[in-house]
């Protein structure tokens, strides 16, 4: 019998610790998502009220309960402060079931390689534990930092999947696409 439980898994990188969110993370969810800088390319993700962060946490937690995976809270291994969030969620893209790779970090954590490090580890986790689904990242053409994170995580441009998303045109980066 396999006693592995994805919901209990904490991921570790050289510098980072990634763990499942808890209610104690709602303040950080709100702070990071209400900063205009973090949602400049995805304005529909911006939060203005604390209740929205509570609802977002509940959606994230529900996905963990349903799927056994979701978004992780990212911190330095030697720290308690939440740097951001990185994870995967199932979705449909052009009639295909995929995993969407998500990463959003506090502006104070930008430019230090944290998003790329976390996304690389999450992508590797997804490849091991959910190998039947392609992994994609939806990126705005002007968001060059996010494009670099997707590439560092092992995804490549899949122009044939580009299209209109919630906040504009999405470039799609992908790994493990079916033939």
């Amino acid at each position: 019998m396999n006693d592995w439980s994805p919901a209990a898994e904490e991921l570790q990188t050289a510098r980072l610790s990634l763990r499942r969110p808890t209610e104690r993370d709602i303040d950080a969810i709100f702070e990071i998502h209400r900063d205009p800088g973090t949602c400049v390319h995805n304005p529909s993700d911006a939060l203005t009220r604390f209740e929205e962060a509570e609802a977002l946490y509940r959606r994230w937690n529900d996905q963990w309960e349903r799927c056994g995976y979701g978004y992780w809270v990212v911190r330095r291994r030697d720290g308690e402060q939440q740097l951001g969030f990185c994870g995967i969620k199932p979705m449909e893209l052009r009639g295909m079931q995929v995993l969407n790779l998500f990463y959003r970090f506090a502006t104070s954590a930008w430019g230090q390689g944290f998003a790329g490090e976390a996304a690389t580890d999450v992508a590797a986790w997804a490849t091991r534990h959910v190998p039947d689904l392609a992994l994609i990242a939806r990126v705005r053409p002007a968001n060059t930092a996010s494009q670099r994170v997707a590439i560092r995580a092992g995804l490549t441009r899949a122009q044939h999947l580009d299209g209109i998303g919630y906040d504009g045109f999405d470039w799609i980066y992908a790994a493990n696409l079916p033939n």
Side-chain angles (χ1 to χ4, degrees):
M1 177 167 171
N2 183 355
D3 61 359
W4 172 77
S5 170
E9 185 162 350
E10 184 170 315
L11 306 180
Q12 301 281 327
T13 71
R15 300 181 298 160
L16 303 173
S17 170
L18 290 74
R19 63 162 172 74
R20 180 180 175 173
T22 68
E23 287 183 352
R24 294 183 314 270
D25 297 307
I26 295 173
D27 287 335
I29 292 170
F30 183 57
E31 291 302 317
I32 290 171
H33 285 84
R34 81 173 182 170
D35 178 344
T38 64
C39 296
V40 71
H41 296 284
N42 302 87
S44 67
D45 291 347
L47 302 181
T48 58
R49 297 185 340 271
F50 188 79
E51 296 77 23
E52 294 171 313
E54 292 172 320
L56 185 56
Y57 164 75
R58 284 192 300 276
R59 286 196 307 271
W60 290 1
N61 193 57
D62 289 348
Q63 182 193 317
W64 274 99
E65 294 298 320
R66 277 190 329 275
C67 300
Y69 58 81
Y71 296 159
W72 281 270
V73 176
V74 181
R75 300 175 321 211
R76 287 181 186 264
R77 286 182 77 161
D78 60 355
E80 290 300 314
Q81 174 141 3
Q82 300 94 334
L83 300 172
F85 311 98
C86 185
I88 50 176
K89 78 172 181 180
M91 64 171 284
E92 185 177 305
L93 179 71
R94 305 236 188 278
M96 176 177 42
Q97 290 299 311
V98 298
L99 293 174
N100 184 68
L101 178 63
F102 170 85
Y103 35 90
R104 175 155 297 133
F105 283 75
T107 54
S108 61
W110 290 3
Q112 300 173 60
F114 295 138
E117 189 172 329
T120 298
D121 211 51
V122 168
W125 186 95
T127 299
R128 286 191 311 274
H129 297 291
V130 195
D132 296 338
L133 293 179
L135 183 65
I136 63 117
R138 297 172 295 152
V139 180
R140 300 292 166 271
N143 192 347
T144 56
S146 185
Q147 294 167 27
R148 286 190 301 272
V149 171
I151 291 168
R152 180 170 174 193
L155 284 65
T156 57
R157 281 281 283 122
Q159 291 178 314
H160 66 288
L161 296 174
D162 291 352
I164 299 297
Y166 295 117
D167 292 313
F169 196 77
D170 288 332
W171 279 4
I172 303 300
Y173 288 76
N176 195 30
L177 285 173
N179 293 330

